[in-house]
Amino acid sequence: MKLEPLIKDCMYHIYNRGINGGNIFITDENKMYFLNLVNKHLTNSSSLFAYCLMNNHFHFLLRIDSDGEKVTQDLSNLFNAYAKAFNKANNRTGSLFEKHFKRIRIDDENYLRQLIVYIHLNPYHHFDANFATFKYSSYNSILSNKETKLKRGEVIELFGDLDNYIFEHKTKKEILEQKFTLE
Protein backbone atom coordinates (compact mmCIF):
# COMPACT_ATOMS: atom_id res chain seq x y z
CA MET A 1 0.00 0.00 0.00
CA LYS A 2 1.43 3.37 -1.01
CA LEU A 3 1.18 5.91 1.79
CA GLU A 4 0.31 9.52 1.13
CA PRO A 5 3.45 11.62 1.57
CA LEU A 6 3.44 14.40 4.14
CA ILE A 7 3.41 17.82 2.48
CA LYS A 8 4.96 20.99 3.89
CA ASP A 9 2.48 23.56 5.28
CA CYS A 10 -0.33 21.00 5.46
CA MET A 11 -2.16 19.79 8.58
CA TYR A 12 -2.39 16.08 9.39
CA HIS A 13 -4.11 13.84 11.85
CA ILE A 14 -1.35 11.35 12.71
CA TYR A 15 -2.29 8.28 14.71
CA ASN A 16 -1.32 4.72 15.40
CA ARG A 17 -1.93 1.92 17.86
CA GLY A 18 -0.11 -0.97 19.39
CA ILE A 19 0.39 -4.07 17.32
CA ASN A 20 -2.69 -6.29 17.58
CA GLY A 21 -4.33 -3.49 19.59
CA GLY A 22 -1.91 -4.05 22.49
CA ASN A 23 -0.86 -1.38 24.94
CA ILE A 24 1.94 0.97 23.96
CA PHE A 25 1.79 2.83 27.28
CA ILE A 26 1.69 0.98 30.58
CA THR A 27 2.80 3.66 33.03
CA ASP A 28 2.67 7.42 33.36
CA GLU A 29 6.44 7.35 32.91
CA ASN A 30 5.93 5.76 29.46
CA LYS A 31 3.64 8.59 28.45
CA MET A 32 5.98 11.27 29.79
CA TYR A 33 8.93 9.70 27.97
CA PHE A 34 6.92 9.56 24.74
CA LEU A 35 6.00 13.26 25.07
CA ASN A 36 9.65 14.12 25.70
CA LEU A 37 10.56 12.25 22.51
CA VAL A 38 7.85 14.19 20.66
CA ASN A 39 9.53 17.43 21.77
CA LYS A 40 12.96 16.11 20.84
CA HIS A 41 12.09 14.76 17.40
CA LEU A 42 9.25 16.91 16.09
CA THR A 43 9.52 20.49 17.33
CA ASN A 44 12.06 21.55 14.70
CA SER A 45 10.14 20.12 11.76
CA SER A 46 6.45 20.39 12.65
CA SER A 47 3.97 22.20 14.87
CA LEU A 48 1.81 20.33 17.36
CA PHE A 49 -1.78 21.53 17.70
CA ALA A 50 -3.34 18.68 19.70
CA TYR A 51 -2.50 15.26 21.09
CA CYS A 52 -3.90 12.48 23.22
CA LEU A 53 -2.09 9.42 24.51
CA MET A 54 -4.34 6.46 25.33
CA ASN A 55 -3.07 3.11 26.61
CA ASN A 56 -3.10 1.40 23.22
CA HIS A 57 -3.01 4.29 20.75
CA PHE A 58 -2.20 7.96 20.26
CA HIS A 59 -3.39 10.91 18.20
CA PHE A 60 -1.48 13.99 17.01
CA LEU A 61 -2.63 16.97 15.02
CA LEU A 62 0.46 18.32 13.26
CA ARG A 63 1.30 21.00 10.75
CA ILE A 64 4.26 20.01 8.62
CA ASP A 65 6.77 22.88 8.76
CA SER A 66 9.68 21.21 6.91
CA ASP A 67 10.16 18.88 4.02
CA GLY A 68 7.60 16.07 4.36
CA GLU A 69 10.23 13.36 3.99
CA LYS A 70 12.19 14.86 6.88
CA VAL A 71 9.09 14.88 9.10
CA THR A 72 8.32 11.28 8.12
CA GLN A 73 11.87 10.36 9.16
CA ASP A 74 11.50 12.34 12.39
CA LEU A 75 8.30 10.45 13.19
CA SER A 76 10.02 7.15 12.41
CA ASN A 77 12.93 8.10 14.71
CA LEU A 78 10.45 9.01 17.47
CA PHE A 79 8.57 5.71 17.19
CA ASN A 80 11.75 3.64 16.95
CA ALA A 81 13.34 5.34 19.96
CA TYR A 82 10.21 4.83 22.01
CA ALA A 83 9.75 1.19 20.95
CA LYS A 84 13.36 0.33 21.82
CA ALA A 85 13.05 1.90 25.28
CA PHE A 86 9.64 0.32 25.90
CA ASN A 87 10.84 -3.11 24.80
CA LYS A 88 13.95 -2.90 26.98
CA ALA A 89 11.98 -1.73 30.03
CA ASN A 90 9.36 -4.45 29.57
CA ASN A 91 11.69 -7.28 28.56
CA ARG A 92 9.99 -7.71 25.19
CA THR A 93 11.09 -7.82 21.57
CA GLY A 94 9.55 -7.08 18.22
CA SER A 95 7.28 -4.43 16.82
CA LEU A 96 5.37 -2.24 19.23
CA PHE A 97 3.32 -0.20 16.73
CA GLU A 98 1.29 -1.25 13.75
CA LYS A 99 3.39 -1.12 10.60
CA HIS A 100 2.82 2.45 9.39
CA PHE A 101 1.43 5.42 11.22
CA LYS A 102 -1.86 6.60 9.76
CA ARG A 103 -2.19 10.09 8.37
CA ILE A 104 -5.18 12.08 7.21
CA ARG A 105 -4.61 15.43 5.56
CA ILE A 106 -6.89 18.15 6.88
CA ASP A 107 -8.01 20.79 4.37
CA ASP A 108 -11.20 22.06 6.02
CA GLU A 109 -11.14 24.44 8.99
CA ASN A 110 -14.47 23.20 10.36
CA TYR A 111 -13.19 19.62 10.28
CA LEU A 112 -9.96 20.80 11.92
CA ARG A 113 -11.91 22.18 14.90
CA GLN A 114 -13.97 18.99 15.11
CA LEU A 115 -10.78 16.91 15.03
CA ILE A 116 -9.24 18.84 17.93
CA VAL A 117 -12.37 18.15 19.98
CA TYR A 118 -12.39 14.49 18.89
CA ILE A 119 -8.76 14.05 19.94
CA HIS A 120 -9.42 15.62 23.35
CA LEU A 121 -12.60 13.58 23.95
CA ASN A 122 -10.80 10.25 23.40
CA PRO A 123 -10.56 9.49 27.15
CA TYR A 124 -14.32 9.95 27.50
CA HIS A 125 -15.11 8.00 24.34
CA HIS A 126 -12.89 5.01 25.17
CA PHE A 127 -13.29 4.60 28.92
CA ASP A 128 -15.73 7.21 30.19
CA ALA A 129 -12.92 9.24 31.78
CA ASN A 130 -13.20 12.96 32.37
CA PHE A 131 -11.50 14.50 29.33
CA ALA A 132 -11.08 17.82 31.16
CA THR A 133 -8.83 16.28 33.82
CA PHE A 134 -7.10 13.65 31.67
CA LYS A 135 -3.34 14.19 32.06
CA TYR A 136 -2.16 13.00 28.67
CA SER A 137 -4.00 15.18 26.22
CA SER A 138 -3.41 18.73 25.13
CA TYR A 139 -6.84 19.95 26.31
CA ASN A 140 -5.54 21.50 29.55
CA SER A 141 -2.30 22.68 27.97
CA ILE A 142 -4.42 24.90 25.73
CA LEU A 143 -6.21 26.30 28.80
CA SER A 144 -3.01 26.81 30.79
CA ASN A 145 -0.67 29.77 30.80
CA LYS A 146 2.35 27.49 31.30
CA GLU A 147 5.03 27.39 28.63
CA THR A 148 4.29 24.82 25.93
CA LYS A 149 5.45 23.81 22.48
CA LEU A 150 1.79 23.52 21.41
CA LYS A 151 0.39 26.12 19.05
CA ARG A 152 -1.96 27.31 21.80
CA GLY A 153 -2.71 30.72 20.28
CA GLU A 154 -3.54 29.23 16.89
CA VAL A 155 -5.83 26.62 18.45
CA ILE A 156 -7.71 29.24 20.46
CA GLU A 157 -7.98 31.40 17.34
CA LEU A 158 -9.56 28.48 15.44
CA PHE A 159 -12.35 28.43 18.05
CA GLY A 160 -12.69 32.21 18.21
CA ASP A 161 -11.72 32.45 21.87
CA LEU A 162 -11.05 30.34 24.95
CA ASP A 163 -14.70 30.35 26.06
CA ASN A 164 -15.82 28.88 22.74
CA TYR A 165 -12.99 26.30 22.88
CA ILE A 166 -14.38 25.08 26.23
CA PHE A 167 -18.00 25.32 25.00
CA GLU A 168 -17.31 23.23 21.86
CA HIS A 169 -15.72 20.46 23.93
CA LYS A 170 -18.54 20.36 26.50
CA THR A 171 -21.22 20.47 23.80
CA LYS A 172 -19.70 17.57 21.87
CA LYS A 173 -19.41 15.56 25.11
CA GLU A 174 -23.10 16.21 25.86
CA ILE A 175 -24.02 15.03 22.36
CA LEU A 176 -22.02 11.84 22.93
CA GLU A 177 -23.72 11.31 26.29
CA GLN A 178 -27.16 11.62 24.68
CA LYS A 179 -26.17 9.19 21.94
CA PHE A 180 -25.01 6.60 24.48
CA THR A 181 -28.22 7.06 26.49
CA LEU A 182 -30.36 6.46 23.40
CA GLU A 183 -28.58 3.25 22.39
Side-chain angles (χ1 to χ4, degrees):
M1 172 177 94
K2 182 146 171 77
L3 297 170
E4 176 185 352
L6 300 178
I7 301 169
K8 185 177 182 195
D9 299 324
C10 291
M11 300 285 285
Y12 288 89
H13 179 198
I14 306 284
Y15 57 101
N16 206 348
R17 67 180 191 151
I19 196 155
N20 296 321
N23 285 345
I24 56 176
F25 306 110
I26 297 173
T27 65
D28 286 352
E29 290 78 19
N30 294 151
K31 292 174 182 167
M32 291 303 301
Y33 182 68
F34 188 80
L35 290 174
N36 286 332
L37 289 173
V38 168
N39 283 332
K40 177 182 177 184
H41 290 280
L42 298 180
T43 55
N44 292 324
S45 61
S46 58
S47 297
L48 185 61
F49 283 72
Y51 69 87
C52 188
L53 308 182
M54 304 297 289
N55 290 342
N56 71 343
H57 70 282
F58 68 86
H59 297 270
F60 296 149
L61 176 57
L62 292 177
R63 181 180 60 219
I64 308 306
D65 296 334
S66 297
D67 175 70
E69 288 182 23
K70 179 187 180 337
V71 179
T72 299
Q73 186 60 56
D74 291 345
L75 285 161
S76 177
N77 293 344
L78 159 66
F79 302 144
N80 286 333
Y82 180 75
K84 284 179 183 178
F86 184 89
N87 283 351
K88 183 175 181 180
N90 293 286
N91 198 27
R92 70 181 296 280
T93 60
S95 297
L96 179 61
F97 297 101
E98 287 192 346
K99 186 167 182 157
H100 299 287
F101 66 88
K102 281 56 164 199
R103 76 256 352 240
I104 299 173
R105 188 169 150 187
I106 312 302
D107 294 320
D108 178 80
E109 191 172 294
N110 186 46
Y111 182 69
L112 180 62
R113 282 190 302 275
Q114 290 176 29
L115 179 59
I116 291 169
V117 174
Y118 168 80
I119 289 171
H120 291 152
L121 289 181
N122 249 249
Y124 174 75
H125 176 72
H126 286 284
F127 45 82
D128 201 26
N130 184 343
F131 77 93
T133 59
F134 189 72
K135 288 171 42 176
Y136 298 102
S137 92
S138 54
Y139 177 78
N140 280 312
S141 296
I142 301 298
L143 296 176
S144 172
N145 288 324
K146 293 180 182 175
E147 187 177 327
T148 182
K149 303 267 185 184
L150 285 168
K151 294 300 180 185
R152 177 188 293 133
E154 292 181 53
V155 171
I156 293 169
E157 190 176 307
L158 280 167
F159 288 89
D161 59 35
L162 203 51
D163 289 336
N164 197 50
Y165 170 82
I166 295 167
F167 175 79
E168 291 288 331
H169 283 76
K170 288 183 178 178
T171 301
K172 181 64 174 180
K173 180 184 175 273
E174 290 168 3
I175 291 169
L176 287 172
E177 286 172 339
Q178 290 173 353
K179 180 182 174 197
F180 292 140
T181 303
L182 296 174
E183 290 179 344

